[in-house]
Amino acid sequence: MAKCFPIENSSTVIGIGDDAAVIAPSQENVVTSTKVFMENVHFDLTYVPLCHLGYKMVTVVISDLLGMNAIPTQLTINIGVSNRFDLKAVNELLDGIEACCETAHVDVVGLDLSTSRRDLIVSLTAVGECEPARLVSRKGTAENELICVSGDFAAAYAGLLLLEREKKVFEVNPNMQPDFTGKDYLLRRQLKPEPRLDIVEALRREDILPTAMTNVCDGIAAAIMLICQASDKGCAIFEEKLPMTELAFTTLKDLDIVHTVAALNGGDDYELMFTIKQSDFEKIKNVDNVSIIGYIKEKEAGCHLITGDNCQVEIHAQGFAQK
Amino acid sequence: MAKCFPIENSSTVIGIGDDAAVIAPSQENVVTSTKVFMENVHFDLTYVPLCHLGYKMVTVVISDLLGMNAIPTQLTINIGVSNRFDLKAVNELLDGIEACCETAHVDVVGLDLSTSRRDLIVSLTAVGECEPARLVSRKGTAENELICVSGDFAAAYAGLLLLEREKKVFEVNPNMQPDFTGKDYLLRRQLKPEPRLDIVEALRREDILPTAMTNVCDGIAAAIMLICQASDKGCAIFEEKLPMTELAFTTLKDLDIVHTVAALNGGDDYELMFTIKQSDFEKIKNVDNVSIIGYIKEKEAGCHLITGDNCQVEIHAQGFAQK
């Protein structure tokens, strides 16, 4: 491989080129997560450019570290390719991986290429670090604490629906050119989501320690269920507080999808959900792109969505996968 | 998943069940390696039992940490399965993984299951730790230092040849039962190789610090080339010193394979190669299962095998993969 990855973090001791990567973490706790991405299971190359795919895969794997309030520092890459892919294709994928690593100040410290029978298979392992006092798990929230989420929801799902629709059109008529005018934001949210390192950094800056936290990969419903189950609590989420762009709202309406369902169960958002003490209410206002969407209740109250017309609807996690 | 993995190491802070695994390493350096194993590329389920496969995969991934003189401590597992595999099959695989983790005192701290289209795909990430002063890379050997290897070679390759031969017989006549009488050792070396944690521990006990080190996964030739290239050195390896069992020798002879070629390029041994100072010659005798097979020369001398009849043959790495 001609590709050369720059080393940015002082904690990287040995990168690519030995039996294993060596790290000297500057914090006491080391956090690690691995994701495997398989063609035609996790991604569809008919509409996903390889460089965007690489970028998104890094966002996905480091979001699990951010979901522990940790700072990602290193990444190792394993790629299985068949003869369907030439060196240029592999380099495009690596360029995308490198771009997201640059955004998140993550060093690539391992790269292994092997053969696959047909499909492209990528496995990424992210390593990060955290002061033990700042580490936040899914467990630990208490009654009356505020439920916060970063960013907005349902846009990535709307983007996926548009791409899938155009794919079907293309299959019938290969001469059709897709028209995504004005939908850029939705496509970007689906194809090239950003890792929310800014939120984890802002929480440190504002000295806010969440009481429970998780990466929202499979929709708001799945995420709040993970926190409530781990913490033995219930919750109320307000439908009107779910952050969503006008563009996602109108696009989903055109597609005959209920926007609340898309926000709760759409997935692919890679935003963060965390709970904070009420005493942090003033501080959290200083963190951009965070919305308070509800509060924690006792376990017996269950998990409910409070609709615009003040109905209580029980929340079930219908997102893609329960961890 | 009903499977529950015991936690043995005090460095494991959070295991399975949160966004990411959390480790508090007791040593300054953290070492990590990931391997992806794909059905019909890296393994063949027609003759590999799932529990042996699980065991071997752990040996493969932690051998890369041992090859840095580090102690493996944690493992995360990602499995992609199709509907060809039932829960029993997945559990057999996990049992094998758990058995090797128990042998090597490694905690399983992450488990992700996802869908694959058809083939079984497993990605394992091993994490280990090492005092910086005991960390050994491929680089660092000097002229006249001794080249050591653990265990014996070519047995795993002989085992593979036997299994492949019986597979061909079976394809022609499915009623044929394979006869492996007396070949147990060769099959075990191929199907269920042991991680050489004992060697890394013995080197610590005897206070021997290798000057360069690598995991021998693709044969002795590839391993010595990695060390010589990284260290800018040459070497002489003595054919007569290559450790091999009588069983491997006679089986390879029956199969018309030159045993030296099998030891140099056979692969799948997962033994360790390391170089030591001549002053450690007496100490290394106290470490069981280690053979001195040659010595390091200046770069200009090149890398040679000295045959039994005292000929010099240049060594090329013909093993499966150059890292």
Side-chain angles (χ1 to χ4, degrees):
Chain A
M1 296 295 303
K3 186 99 191 153
C4 186
F5 293 96
I7 297 297
E8 202 180 320
N9 293 319
S10 59
S11 60
T12 301
V13 180
I14 297 183
I16 295 171
D18 216 303
D19 283 21
V22 183
I23 298 158
S26 65
Q27 301 296 339
E28 207 178 303
N29 279 352
V30 173
V31 182
T32 182
S33 169
T34 302
K35 294 280 172 194
V36 181
F37 306 89
M38 291 175 252
E39 188 180 349
N40 298 318
V41 176
H42 300 97
F43 57 88
D44 183 339
L45 289 178
T46 52
Y47 57 73
V48 177
L50 280 162
C51 65
H52 287 182
L53 179 65
Y55 197 99
K56 179 174 178 173
M57 292 190 303
V58 176
T59 292
V60 173
V61 70
I62 69 177
S63 289
D64 272 342
L65 307 189
L66 299 171
M68 311 285 298
N69 205 27
I71 306 287
T73 46
Q74 280 88 12
L75 183 88
T76 65
I77 308 167
N78 292 66
I79 302 179
V81 278
S82 69
N83 58 8
R84 286 169 55 222
F85 301 89
D86 57 12
L87 188 61
K88 188 168 160 284
V90 174
N91 275 329
E92 270 176 45
L93 181 74
L94 291 174
D95 284 344
I97 290 175
E98 187 180 10
C100 191
C101 285
E102 211 179 305
T103 302
H105 312 295
V106 165
D107 289 346
V108 175
V109 296
L111 175 58
D112 241 22
L113 276 185
S114 65
T115 309
S116 79
R117 286 219 291 172
R118 182 179 156 77
D119 290 345
L120 175 65
I121 293 173
V122 181
S123 169
L124 297 185
T125 298
V127 176
E129 53 187 47
C130 194
E131 315 91 297
R134 292 215 66 90
L135 190 76
V136 183
S137 74
R138 295 173 183 168
K139 186 179 171 178
T141 189
E143 254 177 86
N144 297 318
E145 290 186 346
L146 307 174
I147 302 167
C148 307
V149 290
S150 64
D152 58 79
F153 287 80
Y157 182 62
L160 178 66
L161 294 177
L162 291 178
L163 289 164
E164 288 282 350
R165 185 181 69 180
E166 294 306 315
K167 181 184 171 185
K168 284 198 183 103
V169 172
F170 177 81
E171 279 167 358
V172 176
N173 179 2
N175 292 320
M176 277 292 284
Q177 284 295 309
D179 179 14
F180 293 128
T181 314
K183 306 291 189 191
D184 292 11
Y185 180 72
L186 306 180
L187 298 186
R188 199 164 69 240
R189 288 288 284 162
Q190 171 57 229
L191 295 174
K192 192 171 167 282
E194 295 292 334
R196 297 314 303 252
L197 182 62
D198 58 330
I199 300 295
V200 170
E201 287 175 342
L203 290 173
R204 276 170 165 68
R205 204 168 48 235
E206 299 298 329
D207 196 27
I208 301 169
L209 183 67
T211 53
M213 197 166 181
T214 190
N215 164 32
V216 189
C217 46
D218 304 322
I220 287 177
I224 191 61
M225 294 298 283
L226 289 174
I227 287 180
C228 285
Q229 279 163 11
S231 303
D232 236 4
K233 290 286 173 292
C235 70
I237 301 270
F238 298 100
E239 184 179 21
E240 290 180 340
K241 300 286 186 186
L242 297 178
M244 200 176 303
T245 58
E246 182 71 22
L247 180 63
F249 182 86
T250 54
T251 305
L252 287 165
K253 201 172 170 199
D254 290 348
L255 292 165
D256 274 334
I257 303 281
V258 181
H259 61 279
T260 302
V261 173
L264 288 177
N265 302 311
D268 259 353
D269 303 297
Y270 306 106
E271 296 293 343
L272 298 174
M273 176 185 284
F274 52 93
T275 54
I276 57 169
K277 292 190 198 321
Q278 292 212 357
S279 54
D280 283 331
F281 177 69
E282 289 300 324
K283 282 197 215 166
I284 200 73
K285 289 182 188 166
N286 298 324
V287 181
D288 287 341
N289 294 311
V290 167
S291 313
I292 299 172
I293 60 167
Y295 66 99
I296 298 294
K297 301 177 79 168
E298 73 279 10
K299 185 187 182 184
E300 292 65 32
C303 294
H304 292 95
L305 180 78
I306 316 297
T307 62
D309 48 1
N310 217 18
C311 287
Q312 285 208 2
V313 183
E314 202 180 334
I315 295 175
H316 300 278
Q318 297 170 354
F320 176 67
Q322 275 289 49
K323 287 267 171 68
Chain B
M1 295 298 302
K3 187 99 190 153
C4 187
F5 293 96
I7 296 298
E8 201 180 320
N9 293 319
S10 59
S11 59
T12 301
V13 180
I14 297 183
I16 296 171
D18 216 304
D19 283 21
V22 183
I23 298 158
S26 64
Q27 302 295 341
E28 207 178 304
N29 280 350
V30 171
V31 183
T32 181
S33 169
T34 301
K35 294 280 171 193
V36 180
F37 305 90
M38 291 174 251
E39 188 180 348
N40 297 317
V41 176
H42 300 99
F43 57 89
D44 184 338
L45 288 178
T46 53
Y47 57 73
V48 177
L50 280 162
C51 64
H52 287 184
L53 178 65
Y55 196 99
K56 178 173 178 173
M57 291 189 304
V58 177
T59 292
V60 172
V61 70
I62 70 178
S63 289
D64 272 342
L65 307 190
L66 299 172
M68 309 286 298
N69 204 28
I71 306 286
T73 45
Q74 280 89 11
L75 183 88
T76 64
I77 309 168
N78 292 65
I79 302 179
V81 279
S82 68
N83 57 8
R84 286 169 55 222
F85 301 89
D86 58 13
L87 188 60
K88 187 167 160 284
V90 174
N91 275 328
E92 270 176 44
L93 180 75
L94 290 174
D95 284 345
I97 290 174
E98 188 180 8
C100 190
C101 284
E102 212 180 305
T103 301
H105 311 295
V106 165
D107 290 345
V108 175
V109 295
L111 176 59
D112 241 23
L113 276 184
S114 64
T115 310
S116 80
R117 285 219 293 171
R118 184 182 153 76
D119 291 344
L120 175 66
I121 293 174
V122 182
S123 168
L124 297 184
T125 298
V127 176
E129 52 187 48
C130 193
E131 315 89 297
R134 292 214 67 89
L135 190 77
V136 183
S137 73
R138 295 173 182 167
K139 186 178 172 178
T141 189
E143 253 178 88
N144 296 319
E145 291 187 344
L146 306 174
I147 303 167
C148 306
V149 289
S150 64
D152 59 78
F153 287 81
Y157 183 62
L160 178 66
L161 295 176
L162 291 178
L163 289 164
E164 288 282 350
R165 186 180 67 179
E166 294 305 315
K167 181 185 172 184
K168 286 202 182 100
V169 172
F170 178 81
E171 280 166 356
V172 176
N173 178 3
N175 292 320
M176 277 292 283
Q177 285 295 311
D179 179 16
F180 293 129
T181 314
K183 306 290 190 192
D184 291 11
Y185 180 72
L186 306 181
L187 298 186
R188 200 163 68 240
R189 288 288 285 163
Q190 171 56 228
L191 295 175
K192 193 173 165 283
E194 295 292 335
R196 297 315 304 249
L197 182 61
D198 58 330
I199 300 295
V200 170
E201 287 175 342
L203 290 172
R204 275 171 167 66
R205 203 168 50 235
E206 299 297 329
D207 197 26
I208 301 169
L209 183 66
T211 53
M213 195 165 183
T214 190
N215 165 32
V216 189
C217 47
D218 303 321
I220 286 176
I224 192 60
M225 294 298 282
L226 288 175
I227 286 180
C228 285
Q229 279 163 10
S231 304
D232 238 4
K233 291 286 174 293
C235 71
I237 302 270
F238 298 100
E239 184 179 22
E240 291 181 341
K241 299 287 186 186
L242 297 178
M244 201 176 303
T245 59
E246 182 71 24
L247 179 62
F249 182 86
T250 54
T251 305
L252 287 166
K253 200 172 171 197
D254 290 347
L255 292 164
D256 274 334
I257 304 281
V258 181
H259 62 277
T260 302
V261 173
L264 287 177
N265 302 312
D268 258 354
D269 303 297
Y270 305 107
E271 296 293 343
L272 298 174
M273 175 184 286
F274 51 94
T275 54
I276 56 169
K277 292 191 199 318
Q278 292 213 357
S279 53
D280 283 332
F281 177 69
E282 289 301 324
K283 283 197 214 167
I284 200 73
K285 289 182 188 165
N286 298 325
V287 180
D288 287 341
N289 296 308
V290 167
S291 313
I292 298 171
I293 60 167
Y295 66 99
I296 297 295
K297 301 176 79 166
E298 73 279 11
K299 184 186 181 184
E300 294 64 33
C303 295
H304 291 96
L305 180 79
I306 317 297
T307 62
D309 49 1
N310 218 16
C311 287
Q312 285 207 5
V313 184
E314 201 180 334
I315 296 175
H316 299 278
Q318 296 170 355
F320 176 68
Q322 276 288 48
K323 290 262 172 71

